[in-house]
Amino acid sequence: MDKLFETVYAEPTVALEAQRREYAEYAAGEDA
Amino acid sequence: MNESLTMAKALNRGLRRALQADPKVLLAGEDIGKLGGVFRITEGLQAEFGENRVIDSPLAESGIIGTAVGLCMRGYRPVVEIQFDGFVFPGFAQIVTQVAKFHMRTGGQTPMPMVIRIPFGGGIGAIEHHSESPEAYFAHTPGLKVVSCANANDAYWMIQQAIQSDDPVVFLEPKRRYHVKDLVNFTSRPAPMHQAAITRYGTDATLLCYGPMVKTCLDAAAVAAEEGTSLEVVDLRTISPIDWVTIQSSVRRTKRAIVVHEAPKTLGIGSEIAAKLHEDLFYVMESPVMRVAGYDMPYPPARVEGEYLPSVDRILDTVDQSLAY
């Protein structure tokens, strides 16, 4: 997923970065 | 250096500067060459830069966008003009299925540095297909960036920033403001394209708007001030991604927000803003986020468009509802 997040835009966007963090927290919770 | 220019002239100057700065920048669209476009935004550019850089295209939006996809793949930075908002839909498949996805499809190898200029919005007494506000379709498509200028200075700078962006940008031009003059500062360092601007400070409620509605909201704020109500006006400038930091900093102070746009209310940009503010600032706000928008109907005939478009009165009525909550 992280790799996919990186390829949506050529330049980073704040909105997508926030969603990437949200996903990372969700994924970390799944692992715990 | 400052100069008073109409938004149309400011866009023309911005495009000219981009063509001068980068030989990979090309313009294409219906009647944009010899005629200079129906709104004369590209007037004189084909004469100056030649038919290979300012291209009169066939009347085929799908072909215009599809050709621009190929140009991006070969390293060009095409700027295409869709003659009117309602005509973008024949090219919609190309925008959503190719333009928005190409960078991700190629694992980040092939960017789509394309600008799709669209004169949008109503208020010019036109027939159907000439007054639409399609921004939500594009803002709902990841991979696209969507911005709208509201004054000549932003038009001059933002069109150049959009052309410099390595991502596809849907650039919405409020056509009924094309001939409004503003001071353009040719030397000042521009604000980032994806940043909202507070265009009037206030304390009682925040009006959130973009494109043609910025002037209407400023007019409403001026009337409200005479009646003792202090309204803040935030020009979003960027619709996707939305600048939540500026919006939330304003709403945290005023504790009330009203979103104003011409597009139909249901599932418009106002819906997203309301949802997000309720998620993040529920305990800060004194009233629910309210929306003043077009009605959920196809754009009406010109003789009644004044009833359809958000007006100063409709905005102030909604401000009263918010303050009375």
Side-chain angles (χ1 to χ4, degrees):
Chain A
M1 270 308 277
D2 257 9
K3 177 70 183 158
L4 286 179
F5 271 117
E6 277 169 19
T7 58
V8 179
Y9 298 99
E11 297 162 357
T13 80
V14 173
L16 195 67
E17 191 51 41
Q19 291 186 28
R20 183 217 289 266
R21 278 200 304 277
E22 188 181 306
Y23 172 77
E25 284 166 17
Y26 159 78
E30 288 280 290
D31 292 342
Chain B
M1 187 183 73
N2 293 340
E3 190 176 340
S4 180
L5 288 179
T6 62
M7 180 184 287
K9 287 284 182 201
L11 285 164
N12 181 280
R13 294 274 192 96
L15 288 167
R16 172 176 283 117
R17 191 162 154 180
L19 283 160
Q20 286 168 341
D22 185 350
K24 292 292 187 185
V25 174
L26 306 176
L27 312 189
E30 298 162 1
D31 296 325
I32 70 160
K34 286 187 175 58
L35 183 69
V38 291
F39 293 107
R40 305 296 185 269
I41 305 300
T42 52
E43 192 164 47
L45 299 181
Q46 190 182 63
E48 187 173 344
F49 296 96
E51 293 183 3
N52 289 333
R53 293 192 68 198
V54 182
I55 303 157
D56 272 321
S57 73
L59 302 185
E61 288 77 10
S62 180
I64 297 169
I65 307 283
T67 304
V69 170
L71 287 166
C72 287
M73 291 165 70
R74 297 302 298 254
Y76 289 92
R77 305 182 88 83
V79 183
V80 302
E81 177 178 300
I82 302 296
Q83 201 167 68
F84 282 90
D85 35 54
F87 301 155
V88 72
F89 299 108
F92 193 67
Q94 287 289 332
I95 297 172
V96 173
T97 61
Q98 309 298 342
V99 176
K101 296 178 171 63
F102 215 93
H103 188 253
M104 184 161 170
R105 183 185 298 155
T106 59
Q109 297 298 303
T110 309
M112 284 280 120
M114 180 189 308
V115 179
I116 302 168
R117 293 183 39 240
I118 308 177
F120 87 120
I124 63 163
I127 54 173
E128 73 169 349
H129 303 317
H130 292 69
S131 299
E132 298 181 15
S133 298
E135 58 270 25
Y137 297 117
F138 302 113
H140 192 61
T141 304
L144 300 176
K145 292 177 174 174
V146 185
V147 302
S148 180
C149 52
N151 57 64
N153 192 55
D154 272 354
Y156 175 76
W157 287 108
M158 286 172 73
I159 189 65
Q160 294 178 69
Q161 292 168 322
I163 293 168
Q164 286 162 5
S165 170
D166 282 336
D167 288 307
V169 178
V170 175
F171 193 89
L172 297 166
E173 300 167 4
K175 66 172 87 80
R176 71 161 134 161
R177 310 294 184 210
Y178 268 152
H179 303 297
V180 176
K181 276 192 170 182
D182 272 311
L183 215 53
V184 178
N185 186 333
F186 291 105
T187 48
S188 77
R189 197 191 179 107
M193 182 169 63
H194 294 296
Q195 189 173 306
I198 298 174
T199 53
R200 179 184 175 116
Y201 285 89
T203 54
D204 296 333
T206 299
L207 300 179
L208 301 161
C209 51
Y210 52 88
M213 283 294 105
V214 174
K215 181 179 183 307
T216 311
C217 285
L218 288 169
D219 291 346
V223 174
E226 290 170 13
E227 298 167 356
T229 303
S230 169
L231 298 178
E232 182 146 310
V233 179
V234 176
D235 175 1
L236 299 189
R237 297 172 83 243
T238 174
I239 299 166
S240 180
I242 290 178
D243 176 8
W244 295 115
V245 174
T246 303
I247 291 174
Q248 293 195 0
S249 72
S250 172
V251 177
R252 274 182 193 282
R253 279 186 288 104
T254 64
K255 303 187 183 350
R256 300 174 196 273
I258 294 115
V259 192
V260 184
H261 57 62
E262 288 189 17
K265 178 184 265 186
T266 299
L267 291 172
I269 304 302
S271 308
E272 179 60 28
I273 292 174
K276 178 75 171 159
L277 290 178
H278 289 149
E279 282 173 356
D280 293 351
L281 299 183
F282 188 76
Y283 292 106
V284 172
M285 291 188 296
E286 297 285 351
S287 73
V289 178
M290 294 182 178
R291 292 170 290 164
V292 185
Y295 299 110
D296 291 339
M297 58 165 67
Y299 197 86
R303 68 179 178 279
V304 293
E305 70 178 345
E307 304 295 320
Y308 173 90
L309 293 167
S311 60
V312 167
D313 280 347
R314 277 176 65 195
I315 293 168
L316 293 178
D317 280 352
T318 308
V319 168
D320 287 344
Q321 287 172 34
S322 177
L323 293 173
Y325 193 85

